[in-house]
Amino acid sequence: MFTTDNRGNTQISPAKRSLIEYLEDENQSIIEIPLPEQQNFGCNFLTINKNTVMIPLVSNINTIKELQKAGKRVISVPLSESTEGYGAAHCMVGQLFRG
């Protein structure tokens, strides 16, 4: 938790629950990504809208299946060359301004 005093100083307090606990309390789905797919940019997808994600590598089969099972439309974009620089779909748009 962040609080700011009247002089603009920010204090950080320990959270009462973990991020996973928060997501579960909010009835959010949690998709577990296998370690090999984490290391293969399985988590580095780009959310286009509530139901559509863009993935960089089709080799992350378990991640794709779990996203589809969660009702997501998965769009494959061939970004294998981009991942050679240790980034992928989400990283590529990090510098874009979203108004």
Side-chain angles (χ1 to χ4, degrees):
M1 174 189 289
F2 295 93
T3 56
T4 306
D5 64 20
N6 58 0
R7 290 183 277 179
N9 298 316
T10 300
Q11 298 289 322
I12 302 173
S13 307
K16 295 181 174 129
R17 57 190 171 166
S18 71
L19 175 61
I20 298 295
E21 291 169 332
Y22 168 78
L23 292 172
E24 288 172 342
D25 290 347
E26 295 293 316
N27 295 317
Q28 297 294 315
S29 298
I30 299 169
I31 297 173
E32 293 188 34
I33 308 295
L35 183 59
E37 292 192 13
Q38 291 176 36
Q39 295 169 335
N40 197 35
F41 302 98
C43 299
N44 200 317
F45 55 82
L46 179 64
T47 302
I48 305 299
N49 60 40
K50 184 177 179 182
N51 297 313
T52 308
V53 295
M54 184 175 82
I55 60 161
L57 301 171
V58 295
S59 58
N60 294 319
I61 295 168
N62 291 317
T63 301
I64 293 168
K65 285 180 183 177
E66 290 298 317
L67 287 166
Q68 290 172 331
K69 194 174 2 173
K72 305 301 178 195
R73 178 175 160 233
V74 178
I75 300 171
S76 173
V77 179
L79 297 176
S80 59
E81 290 295 320
S82 299
T83 61
E84 297 298 320
Y86 303 104
H90 185 265
C91 295
M92 292 173 60
V93 298
Q95 300 302 317
L96 293 180
F97 174 74
R98 299 177 191 191

